Structures are given as structure tokens and as C-alpha cells.
Amino acid sequence: MTRIEHDFVELSFDDPRGTNRLDAAAARELREAVAMIAIADRVHGVLVTSRQSGFVAGADAVEYSALLQKPQRDVETVARQMSESLRALGELRFPVIAAISGPAIDGGLELALAADFRVMSATARTGLSQVRLGLLPHLGGTARLPRIVDLGTALDWISGGNLFSAGAARSAGVVDDVVDAATVRKHALDWLTRAASGALDWQARRRAKESAVALSAAEIEDLCRTKTTDAAKTSPRHQPAAIAAIECVRRSSQLDLPQALQLEQREFATLAKTQAAASLVQAVCNEILLKTRSNQRAQQARRVQQSAVVGAGIMGGAIAYASALVGTPILMKDIAQRQLDRGLEEVDQLLARQVSAGRLTVEASQAVRSRIAPQLDYLGFAQVDLVIEAVVENLGVKHAVLAEVEKAVAADAIVATNTSSLRVDDLAAPLARPEQFVGLHFFNPVPLMPLVEVVQGSRTSDATLAAAVGYALALGKTPIVVKDCPGFLVNRLLTAYLLGFAGLVFDGADFVKVDRAMEAFGWPMGPAYLADVIGLDTMSHIIDIICAGYPQRMTTTPLEPTKVMAGHQRFGQKSGVGFYRYETDPNGRRKKVQQPDSHQLLATSQKSGTRDFTDAEIVERMMLPMVLEAAVALEEGVVESPAALDTAMSLGLGFPKYAGGPLQYADWLGLDKVVELSTRYARIGPLYRASDELRRMASRGGRFYSE
Ligand code: NAD
């Protein structure tokens, strides 16, 4: 807080950590500063600025996470205390101007909305993104924005959770002036001078903000109804925040500002106790934790300057593309020219899509393409830092290829495998340098799937692991380190889930109904549809391998549904028919339709005929095996933390975001409830048996995520 020219006070946010955040501590400081300004002599205006490169951001996920653990009443109290700081600023006896010199997100924009005028840098972005965390603005955003801009725009900003450019903010009327980044403070000071002199009617602005929205009750109802219908179409399932935010604005529009603020605080506290908010906030905390851990690891590693991939199939071609796209040249070797050509065709298609979407220029796409060197021999392998083996999934073939690769590369090169079902330790058998061997399990389709399981064999060195993590990070992926075990993490947990599906079908469930129930639960696709997309031959093979790896909990039979389908040459989407049939509509889009004889094929495994299951029972029988297997994997140290496990399941399998991941979901249910369900379903088989450790945790009221 500094006195500046014309008897103005400059209130500067300057968090030594580098990013100004309007968290509880900053709100307290603001309150104290405003109280001092309010009683100071000869003050005619306040300029709110930032001394950091950004303006101000909202509280971070870690602070939200702690807040969300509190009882609802306490959450409301905290929201009120913080909100009052901004209210005090907006009630000073003289004009207040926000100089938005950098990004003003969430709490930062709410702070600016408490000012009378806003001057913004042309390069900054702003918005209210709280609904993305399952929350709504709680520092006056829902109350002030509809009183500053037209109601429709305010509803879009609040319920959409998007960020906007300065130009868009200016057109919407959210800010009053957009100027060159270097001159924001100077212009804001000019606005303040004009307001203080009476040339700008700042009091009229304030009056508009203090009173109800200037629309009739019917107009408000109409608009809110339309926006609610739109939000219901676009909101992810089980994420109530967008609709709750519109409802909050609807109810508060006709109130005065203090009442509107109060309502907002109450609604914020209600949302804070929802499953979606808990999971979405935890997911961001998990991301932060994992990123920090991965960066720490990667820092210890030498950077991969030149890479290579062996096998130019579906995965090899896409890995080459991913590497070349981020600027790391890659050799791509295969044994067949035809395969190399197909691999390059795939790369060309991916690049063409980038060009037509405007993400790459033609020249840039040619530069990417030139970084991929297709070849039938090992020429140049002596210069590579890291090689990824992506040949067919066959132990014998992989052994031969890996031994060849090891001879072709320099003594310090890292060799990785993209195997999806073989053990890293088994693959390492013929290698002279197993400590330089690691799993890099990419998911299909590589350009869309952010997850890479980095698999640590029992002899993989930390340095090798670090280099593999660094490479995955350089490709823009989220690496999750997993210990070598059958199926690694994602396929292992997927198998437990699909065995739950098999059990339901054996007991007479209709697979279409199971799919519907699981989609209603929040999965992007039900289990039968998912297996069709993965490929039923691939899936049944994975199930076999994983069941062989965990015979004490997982067993399969020739009647397992994916096997039945694959046995009839129905491989799912890729062959046009699996559980469902896949057709192409006139617009070239793939469509899933019912395949009438699928039920007949599965009837052979339904010894007691068909039976109707409730959605609740379907969800329990599907989710429990995955949750219980997740608990075992964590106990075995397959992943380092619940954060790693849940993130992998979210990114690798599309675990419903509102539920977080298997462990977050278990915490939400309560571990005692998980154990109770396990006891209820124990008769089905060991797939439903809770581990002793999980029972112990449940009995002492434990959780996977400590508070
Ligand atoms: P693919 O059949 O499409 O491609 C395999 C390629 O390896 C072919 O181009 C083949 O010519 C080549 N090849 C075979 N022997 C070779 C040799 N001795 N030297 C060089 N190249 C050789 O297979 P894919 O689907 O790309 O799978 C490759 C690996 O990735 C497998 O280990 C698979 O388990 C794993 N994976 C696949 C997926 C997926 O969904 N396809 C997902 C994750 C991991």
C-alpha cells in the first residue's frame, strides 16, 4: 500500500511466491489494508495493481482441497470472510480502479469486479473458471457480474467456466478499457484521475452494482431457463456446478448486493460438499503433485536428443509422430517396406489434420515429417539416446528384436518397450544391460491419450526411469511410474472391471442394460462398448494374461463375453461387429447399432437364464472389483500414491471425472461401505474380496487420501 500522486493510494498485490492469489491470507491482508485506507486522511482514490507478471489468480486447488474438508457451515463462513474484504474495497468513499496488467482468473477477476472501473492489458486473459472445479465464484462473481454486464453474458461467463481474451472481455463490457501491456498502470491512473475529478460517474456504477439486476422477473426467469437447458446439454454428467451457478444467479438477480453475496456464499458451501467438487479439486491437486514428482525425476536425467522406434505399426507410427512433433528427431525401423509406408501414411494423415485445423503451417508440418527417418536397418542407431520397441506382442519376437537393438545402440543408450501385456522383467531376459531397459506403455490412439505408464522392471535403474519419464514429459504426456506386474496398472484394473461385467452377464444381465447403467454412472462408454473399441481379440488376450498373473483373485473361462465374441470372429469396432454393430452414417461418422444375435451368443453362458438387475446393483458389481484391485495395487506399491493411481485411471480409461478415480471414489463411499459391499458380494468369488489391509483401514476409519 503506497501513497501516490493526487492523494491516491496504490494497493499492490505482490506475492513473493511469484503468483498473486486471492486466497484466505491475501483476503485478510486486503481487509486490513482497506480498513487503513478507509480511515486515512486525504485519500481520493485507490488504484489496485500487481507487482507480479500476472494480475491476481484465485485460490489454488490445494487451498480449496483443505477448505472442502471443513463442515459446510465453516466453508460458508470462510467464503463470507473473504468476500467481505472485497466488499469493503468496493464500499470505500472514493473511486477504485483495477489495473489488470496480466491474467485475472477467478478470484482475480472477482477482485476487479469489486472495483468501479477496470483497465486491462491487451495480452491478458480473464474469466471465472470455478465451475470446472465443481464450484461457483464465491467472492462476489455471481452477484456483481450480472449487475455489470447483461445477464445473458454474465450467465455464460459464470456457468461456462471459460477464459476470455482482453478483447472479448471489453466487448462483453466486463472491462472498460484495453491497452498495451506496458501502459496499463498509466491508463488506469488516468481513469482514476477522471473518476476522482467527477469526470467519470463512478457513483452511478456503484449504485447499479448495489441494486437488483435491471430486468423484470419474467425476463430473468426466461433467460435463466434457456441457459439452464443449454448447460444441461453440455455439462458433464454428475457435475451440478454450472446449473447450480445459473440457479444462484436466477435467485440473486432480484436481491440487493449484500443479499446476493450471502446467497452466493451459501450456494458455494453447498457445492463444496458435492462429490464432483471433492473429486475435481483433488484431481488438480493430484496433477500438481505428479507434475512436481515427474519434473524432479526428469531433472536428474539426460535429455533425449535423438530417439528411435522399432516397429512402424499402429503404435510405432504414432510414437514417431509424437516425438517429431515436439522436435525430437526419430528413426523408425521396420522389417517390411510396406509397414514403413503405412506408418508414414499414418503420420501424414495426423499432420494433415493439424494443418487443416490451423494448428500447424504446411512448412511446420514438413519440418515435423523431416524429423522421422524411415529405414529397414539399424543405421544411425549408435547415435540414439533412447529406442522404443513397438513390434508385435510376442515374447519370442520381442526377445530377438531387443537383443538386436541392444547391439546396435551405444553402451549408454536406453531401450524401452511399448508392450501392453508382457512383463518388463521377462522381456529383459536376453539383455546384457537390463538396468537400461524400461517400459514405456503408450495408449492408443497416441496423439489423443495423455497417459504413459513408465514401467520399472526389478533391474531398471533410477537413471533409466528418470530418462524415460523425461522423454514422456517432453512428448507432452503425463508419465505415471508403475512397478512391473501383469497388466501394469490400467489394464490390470480394467480386467477386474471387465470380469465384474462377465459375472453380471453369466448371472443373466443384459449387456446393453449394463452399458446404459455404467454410462449413466458417468463412464464415457459402457464395458461392452469399451471392449468393442479396444478390440475383443486384444481384450480377451489381455484378460487371459492378467488372470494368469493374479490367479488368487481373477479367473476367466472360455465363456467370458469378450472371448465368446472374438471366438465368433467378432473383434469389435475394427471388424465392424462385436457386442454391437458399427455402421458409417452418410456424414462418414461411425455409428453404433444393436446387433440382434449378440444376446443369443451370450445366452450359452447364462446358465440360469436372464435376470433383471437394478442400475444400483450393476454399478456396485462393476465398480467394486476395480476399487478392490486398486487397493491391492496400491498396497503392493505398484504406484507411489493414490494420486498416481487415480490420475492414471482417469487419463488412461476415462474414469468419471466427478468420481475422481477408484481410490477417491472409495473414499467418497467410505471404506466401511466398500468393505460392507465386498462382504455382500463375496459369494460371487474372490474378485469381490477386500484385502486384509483394506479391512484394517476401514475398521480404523481410514481413507486413501489423508486430510
Ligand atoms: P502392429 O501389428 O500394428 O505393428 C507391429 C509392427 O512391428 C509391424 O509394422 C511389423 O512389421 C513390425 N515388426 C515385426 N517384427 C519386427 C522386427 N523384427 N523388427 C522391426 N519391426 C518388426 O502392432 P501395434 O498395435 O503397433 O503394437 C505394437 C506394440 O505396442 C505391441 O507390443 C502392443 O502390445 C503394444 N501396444 C499396442 C496398443 C494398441 O492398441 N495397438 C496399445 C498399447 C501398446
Side-chain angles (χ1 to χ4, degrees), residues 313-315 334 339 390-391 393 398 401 418 420 441-442 444:
I314 299 174
M315 298 305 283
D334 205 291
Q339 285 299 105
V391 303
E393 189 76 347
K398 284 195 190 278
V401 170
N418 184 42
S420 48
H441 182 212
F442 289 84
N444 187 22

Side-chain angles (χ1 to χ4, degrees), residues 310-317 319 333-336 338-340 342 378 389-394 397-398 400-401 404 417-422 440-445 491 534 538:
V310 181
I314 299 174
M315 298 305 283
I319 291 168
K333 182 200 181 291
D334 205 291
I335 42 168
R338 191 170 37 89
Q339 285 299 105
L340 284 177
R342 275 170 57 179
Y378 286 106
E389 168 279 305
V391 303
V392 285
E393 189 76 347
N394 173 299
V397 175
K398 284 195 190 278
V401 170
E404 268 175 33
T417 174
N418 184 42
T419 183
S420 48
S421 61
L422 299 166
L440 262 178
H441 182 212
F442 289 84
F443 288 71
N444 187 22
N491 282 337
I534 293 173
T538 309

Side-chain angles (χ1 to χ4, degrees), residues 504 509-510 513-515 517-518 613-623 681:
L504 270 166
D510 172 358
K513 182 155 191 227
V514 176
D515 269 7
M518 297 318 289
F613 287 84
T614 64
D615 280 9
E617 197 177 354
I618 290 172
V619 167
E620 286 168 0
R621 285 187 57 163
M622 289 297 304
M623 294 304 296
Y681 290 116

Side-chain angles (χ1 to χ4, degrees), residues 36 88 138 150 154 197 213 215 225 336 380 450 493 533 545 576 636 638 680 699 706:
M36 282 164 69
H138 60 97
D150 74 86
S197 70
V213 169
L215 286 178
R225 197 172 316 115
L493 268 53
V533 170
I545 300 242
E636 289 174 354
V638 173
R680 189 187 315 157
S699 67
S706 48

Side-chain angles (χ1 to χ4, degrees), residues 24 67 70-84 138-139 262 265-266 268-269:
L67 182 62
K70 293 183 195 288
Q72 187 167 331
R73 186 190 299 255
D74 296 358
V75 175
E76 192 177 333
T77 307
V78 171
R80 179 170 334 109
Q81 285 164 349
M82 291 176 68
S83 190
E84 274 167 8
H138 60 97
L139 301 179
Q262 232 177 34
Q265 290 143 18
R266 208 172 319 129
F268 170 76

